[in-house]
C-alpha cells in the first residue's frame, strides 16, 4: 500500500512559499525544455537536485546533450557561472585557487579558482587525473575551499554539474567511490526519440536556442526556494522507509558496497524537493520511490555474481524499492 495525497489524513493547502516553488519550478522546466528536446524527466530531476542542495553527475556517450543540459540550467538562473574543461593536465589549483605573492604589499593574496561560482559546470570530469578530481571533494561536501591553511566559503547557492563519458571509453579515469558518493544524483541523457530529434534539427539548425534563453530567477530566488524545500515535512514513517531502502542495498547479495549514510540523507532531501515541486508540504513514499534509482544507483558496487548476470544498478535499486515494505496510511 502506498501513501497518496488522498490517503493522507490532513492535507493542507500549499503555503505561499510552496506555491512560489511550484511556479518558479514550472518556469524553469519550461525554459529548459525549450532547449533540451524530449527530456522532461531529465529536466525535472536536474531542478530537483538544484533545490535539494545537491550536485549532479550527467553520464552518457558523447553528443547526446550532457553539457547542453548543464549549461541550460546555469543559463536559466541569473547567477555566477564557471565552466571547467577537465583535461589530463588540469591542476588542482586551477579548480580551487592559488596564493600568489604580491610584491607591492609584501604578502600573499588568494586568487580564487573556478569553483568560486554559484554554478560550476565540469565538462568531462573523468578525463582529468585523480589528483585534479580530488580537488572537488571538500567543496562538494562542505561548500568551502582550504588553501595554504586558510578556508574560504563558496557562494550560496552552490551546485556542481559534472558530465562524464562512460568509463570504458579511451582516456578516462573512473571517479573514486568517495567522489561519486558526493553527487546527489546521476542522470543518463539517452538518445532522443525520432520526433524529438527532428524537432532538435528545426530548433538548433540555424542558431542555438540557448542563446535566446533568459533567466527565470536569480541567486536570491533560488535561496528562497531552497529554504522552502527545507520546511517540507517528512514523517517518522517516511524517514524509516528511507533508511530501510538504504539498508536493503547493504544486505543484498548482488551488491558489494551499498548506500552510505550520506546517500540516505541525499535521498530524503531529494524527496523533499520533489514534494515541494508538486506543491506538497509533506513527503510521500511515492517521492522516495521515484527519486531512489537516480540517487542510489551510481553509489553501488556490484558483486561478481551481479556482474556475471549483467545486472544493472538501476534495475537492482528498482527491485529493492519494490520489495521494501511501504509504510501504511493511518
Amino acid at each position: 500500500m502506498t501513501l497518496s495525497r488522498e490517503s493522507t489524513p490532513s492535507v493542507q493547502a500549499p503555503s505561499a512559499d510552496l506555491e512560489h516553488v511550484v511556479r518558479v519550478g514550472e518556469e524553469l522546466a519550461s525554459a529548459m525544455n525549450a532547449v533540451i528536446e524530449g527530456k522532461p524527466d531529465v529536466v525535472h530531476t536536474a531542478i530537483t537536485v538544484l533545490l535539494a542542495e545537491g550536485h549532479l553527475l550527467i553520464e552518457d556517450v558523447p553528443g547526446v546533450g550532457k553539457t547542453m543540459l548543464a549549461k541550460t540550467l546555469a543559463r536559466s538562473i541569473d547567477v555566477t557561472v564557471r565552466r571547467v574543461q577537465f583535461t589530463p593536465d588540469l591542476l588542482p589549483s586551477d579548480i580551487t585557487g592559488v596564493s600568489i605573492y604580491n610584491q607591492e604589499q609584501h604578502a600573499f593574496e588568494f586568487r580564487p579558482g573556478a569553483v568560486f561560482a554559484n554554478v560550476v559546470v565540469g565538462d568531462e570530469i573523468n578525463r582529468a587525473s585523480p589528483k585534479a578530481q580530488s580537488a572537488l571533494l571538500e567543496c562538494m561536501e562542505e561548500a568551502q575551499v582550504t588553501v595554504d591553511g586558510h578556508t574560504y566559503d563558496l557562494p550560496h547557492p552552490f551546485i556542481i554539474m559534472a558530465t562524464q563519458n562512460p568509463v570504458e571509453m579511451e582516456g578516462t579515469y573512473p571517479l573514486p567511490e568517495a567522489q561519486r558518493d558526493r553527487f546527489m544524483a546521476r542522470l543518463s541523457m539517452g538518445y532522443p526519440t525520432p520526433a524529438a530529434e527532428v524537432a532538435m534539427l528545426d530548433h538548433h539548425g540555424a542558431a542555438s536556442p540557448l542563446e535566446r534563453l533568459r533567466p527565470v530567477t536569480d541567486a536570491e530566488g533560488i535561496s528562497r526556494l531552497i529554504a522552502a524545500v527545507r520546511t517540507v515535512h517528512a514523517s517518522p514513517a517516511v524517514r524509516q522507509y528511507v533508511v530501510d531502502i538504504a539498508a536493503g542495498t547493504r544486505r543484498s547479495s548482488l551488491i558489494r558496497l551499498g548506500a552510505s549514510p550520506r546517500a540516505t540523507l541525499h535521498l530524503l532531501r531529494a524527496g523533499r524537493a520533489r514534494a515541494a515541486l508538486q506543491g506538497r508540504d509533506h513527503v510521500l513514499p511515492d517521492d522516495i520511490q521515484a527519486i531512489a534509482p537516480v540517487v542510489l544507483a551510481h553509489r553501488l558496487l556490484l558483486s561478481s555474481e551481479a556482474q556475471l548476470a549483467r545486472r544493472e544498478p538501476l534495475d537492482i535499486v528498482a527491485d529493492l524499492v519494490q520489495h521494501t515494505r511501504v509504510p501504511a496510511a493511518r
Side-chain angles (χ1 to χ4, degrees):
M1 182 177 181
T2 303
L3 283 174
S4 63
R5 185 189 297 269
E6 290 76 11
S7 60
T8 305
S10 58
V11 178
Q12 300 178 353
S15 66
D17 286 341
L18 287 179
E19 290 177 351
H20 183 64
V21 171
V22 173
R23 187 179 75 253
V24 176
E26 290 176 348
E27 292 175 356
L28 278 172
S30 177
M32 294 179 65
N33 284 325
V35 180
I36 307 298
E37 302 285 349
K39 299 292 181 181
D41 293 339
V42 170
V43 167
H44 185 271
T45 302
I47 297 172
T48 301
V49 172
L50 172 67
L51 300 189
E53 300 180 90
H55 304 290
L56 182 63
L57 180 63
I58 311 166
E59 179 183 283
D60 217 317
V61 296
V64 294
K66 302 186 301 295
T67 305
M68 182 63 73
L69 174 66
K71 290 169 63 178
T72 301
L73 181 58
R75 186 72 67 89
S76 301
I77 311 167
D78 186 14
V79 293
T80 56
V81 181
R82 295 279 187 88
R83 178 177 175 178
V84 185
Q85 185 66 51
F86 282 79
T87 57
D89 60 348
L90 187 72
L91 299 176
S93 59
D94 296 331
I95 300 172
T96 59
V98 63
S99 294
I100 299 178
Y101 186 74
N102 189 321
Q103 293 185 351
E104 295 180 358
Q105 299 181 0
H106 301 287
F108 284 92
E109 62 179 22
F110 178 65
R111 300 286 179 86
V115 293
F116 283 83
N118 295 110
V119 178
V120 179
V121 180
D123 200 14
E124 297 191 353
I125 187 174
N126 60 337
R127 291 201 181 277
S129 67
K131 184 177 182 180
Q133 292 175 6
S134 65
L136 292 173
L137 293 177
E138 181 184 9
C139 63
M140 291 180 70
E141 180 66 18
E142 303 172 52
Q144 65 181 31
V145 166
T146 301
V147 177
D148 295 336
H150 296 280
T151 299
Y152 305 91
D153 292 330
L154 297 175
H156 186 270
F158 175 69
I159 180 174
I160 291 179
M161 293 184 291
T163 71
Q164 73 168 0
N165 294 319
V167 294
E168 293 82 5
M169 301 194 74
E170 185 177 356
T172 58
Y173 300 86
L175 293 180
E177 290 82 1
Q179 187 153 16
R180 289 203 310 271
D181 196 49
R182 282 168 165 80
F183 284 100
M184 176 173 284
R186 181 186 66 181
L187 290 176
S188 293
M189 297 293 295
Y191 288 108
T193 63
E197 198 160 5
V198 169
M200 181 196 71
L201 294 179
D202 292 338
H203 299 155
H204 294 250
S208 172
L210 187 63
E211 299 174 0
R212 301 189 298 270
L213 188 62
R214 294 293 178 264
V216 171
T217 184
D218 55 13
E220 183 179 352
I222 293 298
S223 295
R224 178 183 171 186
L225 300 185
I226 290 173
V229 167
R230 290 174 179 172
T231 65
V232 173
H233 175 67
S235 68
V238 169
R239 294 198 297 270
Q240 183 63 53
Y241 182 56
V242 172
V243 171
D244 291 343
I245 292 175
T249 66
R250 302 163 194 163
R251 295 191 300 263
S252 174
S253 61
L254 299 175
I255 300 173
R256 180 160 50 92
L257 178 65
S260 67
R262 182 193 287 123
T264 310
L265 181 60
H266 283 181
L267 184 55
L268 181 60
R269 288 178 177 173
R272 282 195 171 109
R274 187 179 187 275
L277 285 169
Q278 295 186 357
R280 279 185 279 105
D281 61 356
H282 57 280
V283 183
L284 296 178
D286 294 347
D287 298 314
I288 305 302
Q289 293 168 0
I291 205 71
V294 296
V295 172
L296 299 180
H298 65 286
R299 310 168 190 263
L300 308 180
L301 293 182
L302 302 188
S303 65
S304 301
E305 175 187 352
Q307 293 176 10
L308 289 173
R310 298 182 180 273
R311 297 294 301 275
E312 293 293 333
L314 281 172
D315 297 333
I316 294 176
V317 172
D319 289 343
L320 284 172
V321 170
Q322 186 177 3
H323 291 90
T324 303
R325 188 181 66 84
V326 179
R330 294 184 178 179

